[in-house]
Amino acid sequence: MKLSIQESDKTSLLDALKPANLAFQATYPGDKPDRQPVHTVYGGANLFKSDTCVRMGEIALKSLQTYSPNFVVLANVLQLDGYDRLPHLRKDVADLTNRLDSLSEAARRQEPAWLAYSVYNKIVQKLQTEPVEDFRIDFEDGFGNRPDDEEDATAVEAALEVAEGMKNKTLSPFIGIRIKPFTEDLKFRGVRTLDLFLSTLLEKTGGVLPDNFVVMLPKVTIPEQVITMVRLFELLEKANNLAPGTLKMETMVEATQIIMDDEGRNPLMRIIKASEGRCIAAHFGTYDYTASCGITAKYQTMAHPVCDFAHHMTKVALGGTGIFLSDGATNVMPIGPHRGESLTFEQQSENRMAVHNAWKTGYNHTMHSLINGFYQGWDLNPAQLPMRYAATYNFFLSSYDDAVFRLKTFVERAAISTLTKDIFDDAATGQGLLNFFLKAMNCGAISEEEATATGLTLDEIRSRSFYRILEGRRKG
């Protein structure tokens, strides 16, 4: 074979390219295999107790069972796949439920009612075992502007409640606080609350933070606000004998200026880089963002087109960086207008209609987020939790067969390619496919065994790394 390029010239050129390629890979490492919670529940700091998440699960389960006593009701409200083939009479529903209960999972999958049945039962199990995945103790919008003495006392009390929750193991797997923004008028208050909360908590726990603890900085508009947070973290770590880099943060996308700055550029990447590796997520603030776009209150919803624009700009700016992205919240609460134990039939009907309408709104918003690649969102009330999981489980279960085929095909093709080369150029793509199953397993949509239908072993799945999977297969 005739070649025109000298080996020395080729090597020189490609060696010169290497630093730029490596720098790009460091900036865009691809999707992280770490667990990402499917939601963050925001609650006013003044209301937080050590067992708040446990109580929220109890309220959520009661709401679900009150307004959907069986899976058929839920399927009809949300029009889940196959809902039109389900029975309506109570006896027929009970008979179908008993029959499905008696079948193996493989046999149930062949039934038209499998999806609706599975979604409902997984929601119940989730609310009984891990109702809240992530909780943010809110000192901002959910708390408001109060006298300094009151916020000081609340910061201390919330820290003590977190310490109690750590001891009793009643906290959510992910937890953190949202402080006030570092705007000129609120920056001193935000810093004081952060200092009081962390100093109190670390003194009480002997220098131990809860697992997956994070600080949310809202209304970020310029990198300098994040740089200030990093410097404050360094001071707090040194004063409390924490290892450097221990404290992590999140930013919020809730102002037009974080989508487009005064020079016509998207500043999100500069804001993330300003965190020096401490920022792990960017959360969308639906109502502040729509307000900043001049949208009136009546139309400030997650379905407004300006939200999709912000979502797409955020995805484009941060895609491949490993930063977790979260959508915002639905502000329609699934709570009936009538309270009390002795309601009339008409009042019960009105409650049911109100709750079911709110369910459909919340479910549709979450499905829209998932379809657009936002695997996390906000919840504001325990009654919203059933629909968070209804949409999440429906999304993963209804996409399962297609995802199995894609990952299995990709693994087989990639495994062949590793026989001829040592660098896996498509590892990031494979990680993205693998992450579908990791996310589904993390939230309880599927089991590890169900993920093995992809052709991966349990050990390979548990490695959480597509690169390591291919590397192991090549060595094998």
Side-chain angles (χ1 to χ4, degrees), residues 87-310:
H88 297 284
L89 296 178
R90 184 178 301 178
K91 181 182 182 305
D92 294 340
V93 172
D95 290 343
L96 175 59
T97 302
N98 290 334
R99 189 169 72 81
L100 291 170
D101 287 344
S102 68
L103 296 176
S104 67
E105 180 60 25
R108 270 198 297 266
R109 281 183 174 272
Q110 308 307 313
E111 296 288 327
W114 167 76
L115 180 64
Y117 171 92
S118 299
V119 167
Y120 185 85
N121 283 284
K122 286 179 184 293
I123 296 170
V124 172
Q125 183 180 21
K126 183 72 170 179
L127 296 178
Q128 291 173 334
T129 56
E130 190 186 70
V132 176
E133 293 196 0
D134 187 18
F135 193 92
R136 206 64 74 248
I137 303 168
D138 193 10
F139 286 91
E140 203 220 359
D141 289 345
F143 183 74
N145 294 320
R146 304 184 183 214
D148 282 339
D149 288 348
E150 184 176 349
E151 183 156 342
D152 285 353
T154 303
V156 170
E157 183 61 27
L160 295 176
E161 291 291 339
V162 170
E164 185 71 11
M166 291 171 66
K167 183 177 71 173
N168 297 333
K169 302 187 185 305
T170 53
L171 299 181
S172 51
F174 297 78
I175 193 168
I177 65 169
R178 177 165 70 169
I179 60 174
K180 287 183 168 61
F182 282 0
T183 54
E184 198 59 24
D185 55 337
L186 291 172
K187 61 186 183 183
F188 287 101
R189 182 63 263 180
V191 172
R192 182 172 175 83
T193 297
L194 175 65
D195 192 352
L196 276 172
F197 178 90
L198 283 175
S199 299
T200 303
L201 175 61
L202 292 168
E203 181 181 46
K204 186 69 175 178
T205 64
V208 179
L209 287 171
D211 292 338
N212 302 305
F213 179 81
V214 68
V215 178
M216 166 66 78
L217 182 62
K219 296 179 174 59
V220 173
T221 52
I222 53 176
E224 288 79 3
Q225 293 166 339
V226 174
I227 292 171
T228 301
M229 175 70 94
V230 173
R231 301 286 86 83
L232 289 166
F233 278 172
E234 291 171 346
L235 295 173
L236 286 164
E237 287 167 348
K238 184 176 180 180
N240 291 280
N241 296 314
L242 295 176
T246 295
L247 294 172
K248 303 297 183 185
M249 67 167 291
E250 301 166 327
T251 187
M252 293 201 66
V253 178
E254 53 183 340
T256 55
Q257 293 84 5
I258 201 172
I259 296 297
M260 192 78 71
D261 66 14
D262 60 340
E263 296 181 343
R265 299 178 300 174
N266 184 306
L268 271 166
M269 182 62 87
R270 286 185 289 122
I271 285 170
I272 295 300
K273 286 183 176 179
S275 76
E276 301 177 16
R278 292 181 186 262
C279 187
I280 61 173
H283 290 233
F284 184 65
T286 305
Y287 305 102
D288 281 314
Y289 185 82
T290 50
S292 75
C293 291
I295 310 302
T296 58
K298 179 180 179 181
Y299 301 104
Q300 290 178 358
T301 75
M302 290 176 65
H304 199 287
V306 300
C307 296
D308 278 343
F309 174 78

Side-chain angles (χ1 to χ4, degrees), residues 328-344:
T330 301
N331 64 352
V332 180
M333 300 299 131
I335 299 173
H338 306 291
R339 308 292 176 87
E341 299 295 328
S342 302
L343 300 181
T344 66

